[in-house]
Amino acid sequence: MTDAAIPANVLGTLAAKFRTCPATGLKVDLAAERLIKANAVAAVVFLMIGGIFGLLVALTRWPAVHLLSSDMFYLVLTAHGLDVLLLWIIFFEIAILYFASAIILSSRIAAPRWGWVAFALMIIGGVMTNIAVLQGDSSVMFTSYPPLKAQPHFYLGLILFAVGALIGCFIFLGTLVIAKEERTYEGSIPLVTFGALTACIIAVFTIASGAIILIPTFLWSVGYISHIDTLTYKLVWWGMGHSSQQINVSAHVAIWYLIGAVTVGAKPLSEKVSRGAFLLYIFFLQLASAHHLLVEPGLSSEWKIVNTSYMMYLAVLGSMVHGMTVPGSIEAAQRKNGYTHGVFEWLRKAPWGNPAFAGMFLSLVMFGFLGGISGVILGTEQLNIMMHNTIYVPGHFHATVVTGTTLAFMAVTYLVVPLIFQRQIIWPKLARLQPYLFGLGAAGISVFMMGAGTLGVARRHWDITFPASDVMLPHGYPPMASLMMGLNGLSAILAATGGALYIAITVGSILFGKKVDASNAAASLGPMPKKIVRDAVTKYGDAGTWHLPGTYVLVALFFTTFVLYYFVNWKYLSELWPMQ
Amino acid sequence: MAIFPPQTRIWWNEPVAKAELVWIAVAFLWGLFMFFMMIYWHIYGKQNLSPVVGRIDPAVFEQRTSEFAEKFKVREEGNLGIPVAKPTAGGDAYMLARTFEWWPVLELEKGKSYKLHLSALDVQHGFSLQPINMNIQVHPGLEHIITLTPTEVGTFGVICNEYCGLGHHVMTGRIYVVEPGQGR
Ligand code: HEM
Ligand SMILES: [Cu+2]
Ligand SMILES: [Cu+2]
C-alpha cells in the first residue's frame, strides 16, 4: 500500500473512482453514484405502490364510487400514508443527501459500504412494515396511536427503516467532513448543500424522537410494557411526524435553488438571508409537534401557543423568506438573461417547456399559496377547533407534501436522470406535460379536500353518508360535501395519471434512454432560456443592479391572500357556539 | 450559483438589498401579530378550549356518565334505546366515547351554558359536532370539561373523526338543542 492511498482509506474501504460529468464538469464519485441510483429507484417504486393506494383511497371516498370495502379501505389508507410519506420521500431524500454532498462538492462519499447497509435496512424495514399492513392486522394508520395495536413487525420495520435512514444521515455528514479535509471546494459549502445539511440535522433529531417512542411501542406490542400513555405518545410521535416535514421543506427548498441555478442560472440574492432562513428551521422545528395537539385535553394554552407558532412564527418566517428569495433569484437571473421588459417578461419567457423548471415553479407557488397559508391557519390554536381531524388536514398536507415536496422531487428527477443515470429523457413531449398534469391533479385533491373539510367531513372515514341501515343516529353532511369528494376523486385520477406518467418516463429513460455523453450533455437537461445578453457584471443575483418588480408583485399577492384568509377564518370561528 | 460555494468568501458581510429587508420585517411583524392574536382571543374571544382537565379512571367516568344518564333521562331513542338526557341548564353534562358510540344523547337549551364532560373508555376518539364543525380530541383516561353555550335550535350530529378501529365510520351521536323551557 502506498502512502498516497492511506487517506482515501480512512473512511471509505476502497480508493474512490471518479468520472467527470460532461455537462457540469463536476467530479462524480462512482460509489456515490451507485448509491444515489439505488435510493432513487427504491423511492420511485414506493411512490408507484403508494400512489396506487392513494387513488384507491380517493375513489372510495367518492360517495358515488365507494370502491373498497371498509376493512380494505382502512388497510389501504394505512399503507398509502406509509409508502408515500415515509418510503418515497425518505428514500428520495437520502439520494438527495448523497447528491448534495458527494456530487455537488466533487468529493468521494464517506463509507460507501455503510451506505449499502443503510439501504438494505431501509428496504427490509419498509417491506416488513408493508407486509404487516397487507396481512390485515395492522390497520392502525401510519400514526399508530395507542391503544390501537399493530403487529410487532409493523413497529420493528419502522425502527429498522429509521436506523437505515440515520446511517444515511451520518454518511452525508461524513462526506462533508471528507470534502472539507480534502479541499474539494473553496470557501463555504454551496447553498444547496447547506439546505441539505439543514434537512440532515433535522432528520437526526426526528429519528431520535421516533426511536424514543417507537421502541417502547414495539416492546408494548410484544407484551413487555403494559401501558403507553396516549398523550405522551402523540407528543413524542409528532416530534418525529411533524418535525420530519421540516426535512421535506428544507430538502425541496434546496431543490428549488438547485433547479433555479441549473435551468436559468439563478444565484441566491443574498447568501446570508437564504442561509439564515434555513437556520430558522433548525432552531424552531422541534416545537411543531404541538400542531397535532391543539384540541387535546391535558396541555395548557400557553404551551400550545408558544409551540404551535414555532416561538412566534419564526420557522414560518424562514419559509416566507425563501418564498421571496427563490422567485427573486430567478427573476434576477432572467433579467440578466435579457428578459427585462415590463414586470413579468422574465416569467412569461421562463423555460416552461422544461419539466424541471415547470415542476419547480409550480411546486413553489402551490406550496406557498395552498400549503403554507392553510398550514398557518390550521396551526392557530383556536382556529384548529374548526378543522382538527377533518379532511381539511389531508387537504393541507397534500398541498405541502404533494404539490410542494413530491412535485419538486419529480422536477429534479428530470435533471438527475441525465446527470447521474446518464440517460436522456425519453418522450420529451410527454415529460413536458407531466408536471402540469400532476400539479393540477394534486392541487385539486388539496383544494377539494380542504373544501370538504370546512363542511365538516371527517378524515380517515369510510362512509360519510351514515345510512340509517348502518348507524343508529344517522347524520347527513351538506350535499356540497359529496360534490367536493367527487371532485377530489376526479382530481385523484388526474394526479394518478400524472404520477404514472412520471414513473413510466423515469423508468423508461433509465432503461431505454439514449446515453448521455459530452456531445449531447447540455441538451439533455431540457430546453433552457435563450440568453439575449451576456452576463452582466454582477456578483450577486440582485446586486442592486436590478429591481425585481415581478417578485414584489407575487409576494404582495401572496401576503394579501394570506391576511384575508386568516381573518375570514377568525370570522367563521366567532360564529361557533361559545365555549370555554 | 446555489450549486457552487458563495462567490464572495466573506459572504456574511455582504449587504442585503432593501427589498429583502422590507419583506423580512413585514413577515416578522405579521408573525408577531398572529402570535398575539391567539392571546387576544383567549382574553376577548368566546371560542377557547378549557384547560380544565383531569386524569380519570375510565371505569369511574363510565360510572358517572351512567348515573348522569339515569338521572336526567327524558326518553329513549333508536331500536337499542339510547337514553336522551336533558341536564339542568348551567349544570354538568356527560358524554362518553367508546367503540363505536357516543353515549348518551343530550338535549340542551338554547342560550344556556353547560359543563360538558368528555372522555373515552377505550381508545382515542374525535368529538366532531356537525354542522357546527367543532372538533375536540377525546382520550381515554383524560377528562376534558368544556363550558358550552348552544346558540341555535336544531338536531346536531356528533361524528367520530379520530380513527378508532374498523367501525370508526358507524360511530355517531347526537345533541338536540331546544328553546328554553320546551322539550321535543
Ligand atoms: C395520486 C396521488 C395521491 C392521491 C390521489 C392521494 C389521495 C389521498 C386521499 C384521498 C387520502 C385520504 C384522506 C382521508 O381519508 O383521510 C390521502 C391520505 C394521505 N396521503 Fe395521499 N394521495 C396522493 C399522493 C400522496 C403523496 C405523494 C403523499 C406523500 C408524499 C401522500 C400522503 C398522504 C398521507 C400522509 C395521508 C394520510 C394517511 C392517514 O390519514 O393516515 N399522498 N391521500
Ligand atoms: Cu371513535
Ligand atoms: Cu373513530
Side-chain angles (χ1 to χ4, degrees):
Chain A
M1 194 186 279
T2 63
D3 280 348
I6 293 169
N9 283 344
V10 177
L11 283 162
T13 355
L14 295 164
K17 290 199 181 68
F18 290 94
R19 70 177 172 86
T20 304
C21 171
T24 58
L26 292 169
K27 260 170 71 189
V28 178
D29 175 11
L30 297 181
E33 186 174 84
R34 279 190 293 272
L35 280 167
I36 293 171
K37 285 182 183 173
N39 282 283
V41 167
V44 170
V45 169
F46 283 112
L47 175 65
M48 181 177 76
I49 299 172
I52 294 171
F53 288 150
L55 179 64
L56 294 176
V57 168
L59 292 179
T60 306
R61 297 222 54 172
W62 183 348
V65 178
H66 213 217
L67 186 66
L68 302 175
S69 69
S70 65
D71 291 10
M72 262 324 257
F73 171 77
Y74 293 121
L75 183 156
V76 164
L77 182 55
T78 306
H80 171 61
L82 284 168
D83 284 336
V84 279
L85 193 68
L86 290 178
L87 303 183
W88 144 248
I89 296 272
I90 296 181
F91 270 115
F92 204 91
E93 273 161 359
I94 295 291
I96 292 172
L97 287 186
Y98 297 159
F99 183 84
S101 54
I103 309 298
I104 289 195
L105 298 178
S106 284
S107 168
R108 68 191 171 84
I109 192 164
R113 288 208 178 152
W114 279 101
W116 290 106
V117 173
F119 180 72
L121 281 174
M122 288 169 72
I123 292 279
I124 294 169
V127 170
M128 189 184 282
T129 301
N130 261 293
I131 289 175
V133 173
L134 295 178
Q135 282 171 336
D137 260 349
S138 301
S139 300
V140 294
M141 303 296 134
F142 76 104
T143 44
S144 56
Y145 292 153
L148 293 177
K149 198 185 277 183
Q151 293 296 323
H153 54 302
F154 176 93
Y155 307 104
L156 187 61
L158 291 179
I159 294 168
L160 292 180
F161 180 79
V163 172
L166 192 60
I167 297 175
C169 290
F170 284 118
I171 292 175
F172 169 81
L173 295 173
T175 308
L176 292 192
V177 172
I178 292 181
K180 177 120 208 128
E181 278 182 351
E182 297 181 358
R183 295 174 192 281
T184 63
Y185 63 95
E186 298 268 316
S188 307
I189 53 174
L191 182 59
V192 170
T193 310
F194 190 84
L197 176 59
T198 306
C200 175
I201 291 171
I202 300 175
V204 172
F205 165 81
T206 61
I207 293 171
S209 303
I212 290 171
I213 201 64
L214 283 175
I215 292 173
T217 309
F218 167 68
L219 295 176
W220 167 74
S221 74
V222 290
Y224 284 128
I225 292 181
S226 64
H227 179 76
I228 298 274
D229 182 65
T230 56
L231 193 58
T232 312
Y233 176 92
K234 249 177 142 168
L235 180 70
V236 183
W237 196 93
W238 283 110
M240 163 181 73
H242 202 111
S243 309
S244 63
Q245 301 315 309
Q246 241 75 8
I247 312 177
N248 304 343
V249 175
S250 310
H252 77 227
V253 171
I255 285 181
W256 293 344
Y257 283 113
L258 177 108
I259 294 179
V262 175
T263 55
V264 300
K267 294 173 188 175
L269 295 180
S270 148
E271 294 278 354
K272 187 162 42 176
V273 170
S274 295
R275 284 167 201 245
F278 276 123
L279 276 182
L280 289 175
Y281 290 158
I282 301 183
F283 291 150
F284 299 105
L285 76 128
Q286 305 87 325
L287 310 182
S289 175
H291 290 179
H292 302 264
L293 304 166
L294 292 175
V295 297
E296 312 283 317
L299 295 163
S300 76
S301 291
E302 290 82 356
W303 183 90
K304 288 178 182 175
I305 291 177
V306 168
N307 282 274
T308 192
S309 67
Y310 303 97
M311 193 65 220
M312 310 202 186
Y313 292 98
L314 290 175
V316 173
L317 178 64
S319 291
M320 292 211 277
V321 169
H322 289 305
M324 168 181 192
T325 58
V326 173
S329 66
I330 289 172
E331 176 169 5
Q334 280 287 79
R335 285 182 183 273
K336 265 191 283 176
N337 290 343
Y339 300 99
T340 53
H341 287 291
V343 179
F344 281 123
E345 194 196 15
W346 63 276
L347 192 57
R348 274 201 318 279
K349 303 221 170 129
W352 293 105
N354 185 325
F357 179 86
M360 172 258 152
F361 211 87
L362 289 176
S363 159
L364 167 69
V365 171
M366 297 199 291
F367 177 77
F369 277 85
L370 300 179
I373 294 178
S374 64
V376 172
I377 306 299
L378 262 178
T380 303
E381 190 204 355
Q382 295 93 340
L383 298 180
N384 187 262
I385 299 170
M386 298 189 293
M387 294 148 192
H388 174 74
N389 269 355
T390 66
I391 203 164
Y392 189 96
V393 178
H396 149 70
F397 66 68
H398 280 75
T400 55
V401 95
V402 186
T403 72
T405 309
T406 299
L407 193 51
F409 287 3
M410 287 176 167
V412 81
T413 308
Y414 294 107
L415 302 179
V416 168
V417 169
L419 290 176
I420 296 292
F421 288 87
Q422 301 175 67
R423 299 285 187 159
Q424 286 195 324
I425 301 292
I426 56 167
W427 310 329
K429 289 222 175 87
L430 281 175
R432 185 184 292 191
L433 202 67
Q434 190 273 329
Y436 298 100
L437 204 57
F438 184 79
L440 195 67
I445 54 179
S446 311
V447 169
F448 295 125
M449 283 202 269
M450 285 194 252
T454 58
L455 299 171
V457 174
R459 74 182 287 194
R460 300 174 162 174
H461 201 282
W462 177 65
D463 187 1
I464 58 168
T465 58
F466 305 103
S469 54
D470 288 356
V471 302
M472 249 169 334
L473 299 163
H475 168 76
Y477 286 115
M480 192 63 178
S482 295
L483 178 66
M484 289 283 175
M485 294 312 290
L487 291 171
N488 176 56
L490 286 174
S491 310
I493 294 174
L494 212 59
T497 312
L501 202 54
Y502 165 76
I503 287 158
I505 292 171
T506 312
V507 175
S509 304
I510 292 172
L511 295 179
F512 310 113
K514 248 178 58 196
K515 273 294 231 182
V516 172
D517 52 40
S519 69
N520 60 10
S524 302
L525 298 178
M528 301 286 174
K530 273 202 214 66
K531 290 198 179 171
I532 301 181
V533 295
R534 299 184 143 251
D535 277 9
V537 214
T538 52
K539 272 202 211 135
Y540 277 82
D542 181 28
T545 326
W546 305 104
H547 285 293
L548 306 170
T551 301
Y552 306 156
V553 171
L554 288 179
V555 169
L557 188 67
F558 169 79
F559 191 61
T560 316
T561 316
F562 194 167
V563 173
L564 287 179
Y565 189 61
Y566 183 74
F567 284 114
V568 164
N569 275 288
W570 282 106
K571 162 125 196 346
Y572 285 143
L573 181 74
S574 72
E575 291 163 1
L576 250 55
W577 295 358
M579 68 193 97
Q580 266 165 18
Chain B
M1 288 208 287
I3 50 174
F4 299 122
Q7 265 177 328
T8 322
R9 236 189 137 115
I10 314 295
W11 49 267
W12 50 91
N13 280 343
E14 289 289 310
V16 177
K18 198 163 132 227
E20 271 183 286
L21 289 176
V22 170
W23 175 235
I24 293 172
V26 169
F28 177 71
L29 290 176
W30 174 237
L32 279 190
F33 176 84
M34 293 193 297
F35 178 77
F36 286 109
M37 185 68 193
M38 291 190 279
I39 298 171
Y40 167 86
W41 200 263
H42 268 283
I43 301 169
Y44 298 103
K46 293 210 170 68
Q47 290 80 12
N48 291 290
L49 285 182
S50 88
V52 185
V53 166
R55 296 252 161 210
I56 191 165
D57 182 348
V60 173
F61 191 79
E62 183 174 25
Q63 176 69 25
R64 287 194 195 152
T65 310
S66 18
E67 281 163 15
F68 161 81
E70 191 70 23
K71 181 162 170 209
F72 292 104
K73 182 161 107 182
V74 287
R75 61 178 183 277
E76 287 186 349
E77 272 193 7
N79 39 11
L80 290 183
I82 308 174
V84 179
K86 186 168 184 190
T88 33
D92 294 279
Y94 285 78
M95 189 183 273
L96 64 75
R98 66 183 153 214
T99 46
F100 298 101
E101 65 172 348
W102 296 100
W103 192 93
V105 170
L106 298 179
E107 186 169 301
L108 309 177
E109 291 186 349
K110 181 180 155 183
K112 299 283 163 44
S113 301
Y114 298 87
K115 282 209 198 77
L116 176 62
H117 299 240
L118 289 174
S119 190
L121 300 190
D122 36 41
V123 297
Q124 291 181 49
H125 300 273
F127 176 89
S128 175
L129 185 65
Q130 297 298 335
I132 308 291
N133 208 4
M134 206 182 98
N135 307 283
I136 299 167
Q137 189 78 17
V138 184
H139 284 253
L142 285 173
E143 183 183 34
H144 204 163
I145 307 169
I146 301 141
T147 309
L148 192 66
T149 316
T151 53
E152 53 200 307
V153 169
T155 303
F156 299 90
V158 180
I159 307 303
C160 179
N161 72 2
E162 178 61 66
Y163 175 72
C164 53
L166 296 175
H168 168 55
H169 51 273
V170 302
M171 179 160 170
T172 55
R174 191 169 282 177
I175 293 181
Y176 294 107
V177 180
V178 295
E179 291 291 352
Q182 294 179 1
R184 273 185 71 91

